[in-house]
């Protein structure tokens, strides 16, 4: 039964001699999957609309005139399907051979070597040589963005990138252009990515089966800094990195490798290893104070979180009228970087310009954020280089570091101690939950006993809650994925919903689903909700086992304010920890007006 009380018919069909019962509307591919028959596929993705473009998944349906694309063909009563006849296997192999023969021959030096769906499929199909010669597509790489590289030469026109950008993220920065052999996926008017509405979230990288989209590599810049005798090179790591990095070393999702990652970073040569979760606690001190101030003084409400770099760029493009509603807080990464180049620099007696701050993030958009001209609190760029989880894995492997086998080590102090509230920043709802733990104390002077806000946990696209803060009811909402942000904000602007506080994270699942997280392993699905849940559980587990779970209880945070900042929202705190945002083109044009 589906919502509305409609009862779906149960259909019986036969696939490769095996009977299977499925509900009406199930595709042949889904029916086959349910009984363990894997039909090869390339363009299909379960979280996206059906494209039916690659035809690798064709099957034979008895009585049908033509072969059927199993991803797009609904099962019907009495249907008899053959998925692997000699003819079908040859057709699939021909399709893959044709794709390969218009594909660059650089597998050994390709970023996706060993983790490429086209490569895996070619191996499974038994393709061992290139048979066809002729004209090949030749395009220039788009290197304009600080976050994302577009290489049309490696594109197989599966359109996963187009669909995730429009359907999940609501941005529609890319689409098809031209026809036939000249078909290419590109931004409007083939504009450089840097000049488009691309929010640099990197979800196109996550779902691309080849290497048509990659993050802008920063590893060489980091290696160069590490080899310099003039630079004091430090690193900070985001909460979600520890929850996913083990996957790059063959470990199951949902296991946190915090101490091992610290040990590995020291082996890479970093002088100090700090924790972005300290920056998250600092963000909460400022953001919770800002929320309380707005509630008491009637400031712009709802206040909306500002730590997601992709969300901020999205807001600047599509919702400039809501810029006053954004918290003025920098992200945890940028706050910690600013403190490193001021407070920490002063403590150890090093000039800020001689400190090189590297941030290991789940997020490609953080590369864009680091280049924002507003983020120069010390007179120098706050964060000098951002590497993704994938880039960090590559650096470790190039040094022969086997992460899981390392003994755990602790972060360096004073910027390495964090509360559980700082940990859960990495998952959707975590920023809101952490802020509420502290805002309650700031408003009422009481410690909140029940600090786990289950209504705003989980992977529902939009979550709402009404919370009692003394005599006041606080209405809050959480959205993850920019398509959900669009839906939520439209309700707010139309007056259909009224909130005091909103959290928006740019990527599905929040930072755990960031555009820089490890590629899905063999047989896994990019952005699989099961993987996202396991990563979230790893962070919630860390929070639960922490002695300190509220940001304001962090003794190192208290010390920072006592010795350096004074108090939340002080003049010094504003100068170092807060920022501003700018309206960007195409101001006033909503995603729904861009074919979304």
């Amino acid at each position: 039964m589906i919502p509305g009380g409609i009862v779906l018919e149960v259909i019986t069909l036969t696939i490769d001699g095996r009977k299977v019962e499925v509900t009406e509307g199930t595709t042949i591919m889904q029916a086959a999957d349910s009984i363990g028959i894997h039909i090869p596929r390339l363009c299909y993705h379960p979280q996206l609309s059906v494209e039916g473009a690659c035809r690798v998944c064709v099957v034979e349906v008895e009585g049908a005139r033509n072969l059927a694309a199993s991803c797009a063909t609904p099962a019907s009563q009495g249907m008899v399907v053959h998925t692997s006849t000699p003819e079908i296997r040859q057709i699939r192999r021909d399709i893959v051979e044709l794709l390969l023969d218009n594909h660059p021959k650089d597998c050994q030096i390709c970023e996706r070597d060993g983790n490429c769906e086209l490569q895996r499929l070619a191996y499974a199909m038994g393709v061992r040589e290139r048979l066809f010669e002729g004209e090949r597509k030749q395009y220039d790489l788009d290197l304009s963005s600080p976050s994302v590289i577009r290489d049309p030469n490696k594109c197989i026109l599966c359109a996963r990138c187009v669909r995730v950008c429009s359907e999940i993220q609501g941005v529609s920065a890319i689409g098809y252009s031209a026809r036939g052999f000249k078909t290419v996926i590109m931004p409007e008017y083939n504009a450089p990515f840097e000049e488009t509405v691309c929010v640099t979230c990197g979800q196109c990288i996550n779902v691309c089966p080849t290497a048509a989209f990659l993050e802008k590599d920063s590893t060489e810049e980091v290696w160069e800094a590490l080899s310099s005798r003039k630079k004091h090179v430090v690193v900070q790591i985001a909460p979600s990195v520890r929850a996913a990095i083990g996957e790059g070393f063959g470990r199951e999702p949902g296991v946190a490798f915090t101490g091992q990652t610290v040990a590995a970073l020291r082996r890479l040569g970093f002088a100090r290893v700090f924790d972005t979760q300290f920056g998250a606690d600092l963000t909460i001190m400022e953001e919770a104070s800002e929320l309380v101030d707005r509630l008491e003084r009637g400031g712009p409400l709802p206040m909306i979180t500002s730590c997601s770099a992709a969300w901020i760029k999205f807001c600047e493009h599509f919702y400039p009228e809501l810029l006053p509603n954004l918290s003025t807080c920098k992200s945890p990464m940028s706050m910690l970087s600013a403190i490193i180049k001021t407070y920490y620099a002063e403590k150890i007696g090093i000039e800020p310009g001689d400190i090189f701050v590297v941030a290991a993030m789940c997020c490609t958009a953080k590369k864009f954020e680091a280049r924002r001209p507003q983020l120069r609190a010390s007179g120098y760029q706050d964060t000098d280089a951002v590497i993704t989880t994938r880039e960090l894995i590559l650096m470790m492997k190039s040094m022969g570091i086997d992460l899981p086998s390392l003994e755990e080590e602790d972060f360096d102090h004073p910027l390495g101690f964090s509360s559980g509230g700082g940990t859960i920043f990495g998952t959707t709802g975590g920023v809101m939950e952490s802020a509420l733990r502290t805002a309650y104390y700031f408003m009422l002077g009481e410690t909140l006993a029940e600090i786990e806000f289950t209504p705003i946990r989980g992977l529902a696209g939009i979550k709402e809650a009404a919370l009692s803060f003394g005599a006041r009811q606080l209405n809050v909402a959480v959205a993850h994925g920019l398509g959900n942000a669009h839906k939520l904000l439209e309700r707010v602007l139309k007056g259909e919903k009224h909130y005091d506080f909103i959290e928006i994270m740019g990527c599905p699942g929040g930072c755990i689903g960031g555009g820089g997280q490890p590629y899905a392993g063999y047989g896994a699905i990019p952005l699989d909700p099961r993987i996202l849940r396991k990563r979230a559980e790893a962070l919630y587990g860390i929070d639960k086992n922490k002695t300190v779970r509220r940001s304001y209880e962090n003794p190192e945070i208290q010390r920072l304010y006592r010795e350096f900042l004074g108090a939340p929202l002080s003049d010094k705190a504003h100068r170092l920890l807060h920022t501003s945002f700018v309206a960007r083109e195409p101001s006033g044009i909503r995603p729904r007006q861009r074919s979304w």
Side-chain angles (χ1 to χ4, degrees):
M1 182 180 292
I2 62 174
I6 300 173
V7 178
L8 294 177
E9 181 185 351
V10 175
I11 292 167
T12 302
L13 68 156
T14 303
I15 304 177
D16 292 344
R18 297 174 59 185
K19 288 194 180 297
V20 56
E21 291 186 347
V22 296
T23 54
E24 180 184 356
T26 303
T27 64
I28 295 173
M29 178 181 285
Q30 291 168 333
D33 283 343
S34 72
I35 56 173
I37 296 175
H38 179 78
I39 300 172
R41 62 204 71 176
L42 264 180
C43 68
Y44 174 75
H45 191 288
Q47 269 76 56
L48 305 175
S49 63
V50 174
E51 185 78 3
C54 71
R55 317 310 281 185
V56 169
C57 71
V58 292
V59 295
E60 179 189 330
V61 178
E62 288 189 8
R65 187 174 169 186
N66 300 311
L67 297 178
S70 62
C71 69
T73 305
S76 61
Q77 185 66 40
M79 179 182 276
V80 179
V81 179
H82 303 283
T83 72
S84 194
T85 66
E87 180 189 14
I88 290 171
R89 290 200 303 272
Q90 186 60 53
I91 288 170
R92 286 186 189 138
R93 179 168 171 164
D94 290 345
I95 291 170
V96 174
E97 285 175 344
L98 288 167
L99 285 172
L100 284 174
D101 282 302
N102 196 23
H103 201 77
K105 301 178 181 181
D106 63 351
C107 288
Q108 288 78 11
I109 57 172
C110 177
E111 165 81 14
R112 295 296 296 265
D113 186 29
N115 210 328
C116 168
E117 292 182 44
L118 179 60
Q119 191 181 61
R120 291 172 187 160
L121 193 58
Y123 177 81
M125 297 292 101
V127 178
R128 300 295 180 263
E129 59 181 324
R130 298 192 183 224
L131 301 175
F132 304 103
E133 292 294 336
E135 184 181 356
R136 296 178 183 276
K137 56 188 177 185
Q138 292 186 336
Y139 299 99
D140 293 332
L141 274 65
D142 186 345
L143 304 173
S144 62
S145 167
S147 300
V148 180
I149 294 173
R150 183 173 68 92
D151 184 356
N153 301 296
K154 294 185 177 178
C155 178
I156 59 172
L157 300 177
C158 69
R160 284 190 192 175
C161 56
V162 175
R163 286 176 282 155
V164 78
C165 190
S166 63
E167 297 168 10
I168 303 297
Q169 296 300 76
V171 177
S172 298
I174 48 179
Y176 283 114
S177 178
R179 294 183 177 183
F181 180 77
K182 296 186 182 299
T183 303
V184 64
I185 288 173
M186 65 182 188
E188 290 181 359
Y189 308 110
N190 201 23
F193 251 4
E194 189 176 34
E195 299 173 13
T196 71
V197 294
C198 170
V199 297
T200 71
C201 68
Q203 292 307 318
C204 53
I205 304 172
N206 274 349
V207 300
C208 180
T210 60
F213 290 93
L214 297 172
E215 67 260 62
K216 179 72 72 69
D217 178 58
S218 300
T219 58
E220 288 305 316
E221 184 182 2
V222 176
W223 285 124
E224 184 178 347
L226 287 169
S227 65
S228 171
R229 295 183 178 181
K230 297 180 180 179
K231 292 289 185 181
H232 180 73
V233 187
V234 302
V235 65
Q236 55 165 299
I237 66 166
S240 55
V241 171
R242 71 207 68 196
I245 194 168
E247 297 166 37
F249 293 86
R251 295 302 192 266
E252 288 294 315
V255 180
F257 285 89
T258 308
Q260 293 92 337
T261 303
V262 173
L265 289 166
R266 290 206 177 99
R267 281 157 178 73
L268 288 174
F270 290 100
R272 294 287 187 277
V273 182
F274 297 132
D275 196 350
T276 310
Q277 291 179 182
F278 179 93
D281 279 336
L282 188 56
T283 300
I284 287 303
M285 293 295 287
E286 295 295 319
E287 192 170 79
S289 299
E290 186 181 9
L291 175 62
V292 171
D293 183 72
R294 291 196 191 193
L295 290 170
E296 292 178 348
R297 295 175 181 267
L301 293 174
M303 191 176 90
I304 310 175
T305 58
S306 57
C307 52
S308 169
W311 147 242
I312 292 299
K313 193 167 187 288
F314 179 87
C315 186
E316 289 175 328
H317 281 299
F318 300 117
Y319 290 92
E321 69 270 45
L322 290 178
L323 293 181
N325 293 77
L326 294 178
S327 165
T328 61
C329 289
K330 292 179 179 178
S331 72
M333 177 191 83
S334 294
M335 276 200 187
L336 182 54
S337 294
I339 291 299
I340 289 170
K341 289 195 175 180
T342 53
Y343 174 69
Y344 172 74
E346 184 180 298
K347 280 281 187 185
I348 64 172
I350 296 181
E351 287 295 317
D354 293 330
I355 298 177
F356 192 93
V357 179
V358 178
M361 297 282 125
C362 59
C363 179
T364 52
K366 289 296 180 186
K367 293 174 182 280
F368 172 83
E369 177 188 312
R371 298 295 182 267
R372 282 181 176 265
Q374 305 99 309
L375 303 181
R376 299 174 63 86
S378 65
Y380 298 89
Q381 187 173 305
D382 288 345
T383 308
D384 295 286
V386 174
I387 54 173
T388 62
T389 311
R390 287 191 294 262
E391 288 175 282
L392 180 55
I393 290 167
L394 177 63
M395 291 182 72
M396 290 179 184
K397 289 184 174 180
S398 72
M399 286 283 285
I401 296 172
D402 180 34
L403 179 77
S405 68
L406 297 181
E407 293 290 327
E408 295 188 43
E409 296 181 13
D410 292 329
F411 288 101
D412 288 300
H413 291 277
L415 309 180
F417 186 86
S418 63
S419 75
T423 304
I424 59 176
F425 255 65
T427 185
T428 172
V431 179
M432 171 74 70
E433 184 169 338
S434 184
L436 293 175
R437 294 178 186 182
T438 294
Y440 188 90
Y441 177 77
F442 286 171
M443 283 185 70
L444 303 175
E446 300 174 5
T447 299
L448 186 64
E450 296 296 327
I451 61 174
E452 295 182 1
F453 293 85
T454 53
I456 55 177
R457 292 188 175 187
L459 293 181
I462 297 173
K463 295 160 283 190
E464 301 172 301
L467 309 167
S468 296
F469 268 47
R472 181 177 188 128
Q473 177 174 288
L474 206 65
N475 296 310
V476 302
V478 173
H480 64 105
L482 294 171
N484 289 319
H486 168 66
K487 295 174 187 176
L488 178 63
L489 295 177
E490 286 297 298
R491 295 173 192 170
V492 170
L493 290 173
K494 290 176 181 177
E496 297 172 0
K497 292 286 184 176
H498 300 277
Y499 303 106
D500 299 296
F501 191 24
I502 293 174
E503 178 204 303
I504 295 177
M505 300 299 281
C507 294
C511 299
I512 52 173
Q517 293 286 55
Y519 293 122
Y522 185 77
I525 301 167
L527 299 180
D528 188 336
R530 293 170 296 182
I531 294 177
L532 298 181
R533 287 191 188 95
K534 288 180 179 179
R535 291 174 181 170
E537 287 166 6
L539 296 179
Y540 285 129
I542 295 172
D543 169 42
K544 199 156 199 146
N545 291 323
K546 288 259 191 178
T547 304
V548 176
R549 299 185 67 187
R550 303 166 183 85
S551 298
Y552 64 89
E553 294 176 340
N554 182 337
E556 297 293 355
I557 289 287
Q558 295 171 358
R559 178 183 172 191
L560 175 64
Y561 278 101
R562 186 171 60 248
E563 294 182 353
F564 190 67
L565 293 172
L569 305 185
S570 67
D571 289 343
K572 194 169 191 177
H574 264 290
R575 181 169 59 84
L576 297 179
L577 307 179
H578 293 253
T579 188
S580 59
F581 311 102
V582 296
R584 300 175 186 272
E585 292 295 331
S587 299
I589 299 178
R590 297 288 190 245
R592 70 172 184 274
Q593 295 170 279
R594 299 176 57 81
S595 305
W596 179 67

